[in-house]
Amino acid sequence: MIGQDATCCPGLSAAPLGEDQATDLAKVFKALGDPVRLRLMSMIASRGEGGEVCVCELTPAFDLSQPTISHHLKLLRQAGLIDCERRGTWVYYWVLPGVLDRLAAFLTTPQTAGATA
């Protein structure tokens, strides 16, 4: 998965993806392809490097049941984007270190000198 190996994804334009790389990245993009999961990821990531958020802060932001929110969070964990820890009755979530940077690096294409947007 993208969060496990910094060298897994040198970049979309660097070389064609191998089958394993494509499978791992597809899991990440599928997890982020749902609006609820994308919002959850944004809420967790907005805490910054090393920041964490309690599920008790995430659930009220949605018109969904707590089990549905937990399911979405589980899919983000399975995709290797976030991790969590139970503390008493609450679960705290954080973005795995470097995951977003590696994903961004994969999507970034090199700019040629003099290129305009």
Side-chain angles (χ1 to χ4, degrees):
M1 288 185 216
I2 198 155
Q4 295 176 340
D5 182 3
T7 62
C8 78
C9 310
L12 186 59
S13 65
L17 287 175
E19 187 174 335
D20 290 341
Q21 291 173 319
T23 299
D24 289 344
L25 280 167
K27 290 175 189 174
V28 171
F29 287 122
K30 184 174 181 179
L32 293 174
D34 180 271
V36 171
R37 290 191 291 273
L38 191 55
R39 284 186 60 209
L40 285 166
M41 186 69 186
S42 174
M43 292 171 74
I44 297 166
S46 68
R47 297 296 173 112
E49 187 73 29
E52 58 188 22
V53 61
C54 178
V55 70
C56 64
E57 297 173 65
L58 298 171
T59 305
F62 299 89
D63 190 24
L64 298 169
S65 68
Q66 184 276 324
T68 301
I69 296 298
S70 292
H71 172 73
H72 285 297
L73 290 165
K74 177 183 174 183
L75 294 175
L76 290 171
R77 279 192 341 269
Q78 289 174 338
L81 295 166
I82 64 172
D83 204 356
C84 66
E85 177 180 74
R86 178 173 291 282
R87 298 182 200 147
T89 35
W90 300 113
V91 179
Y92 292 81
Y93 292 88
W94 60 89
V95 175
L96 288 170
V99 166
L100 297 178
D101 291 336
R102 287 189 289 277
L103 188 56
F106 170 75
L107 293 172
T108 301
T109 57
Q111 296 295 318
T112 57
T116 58

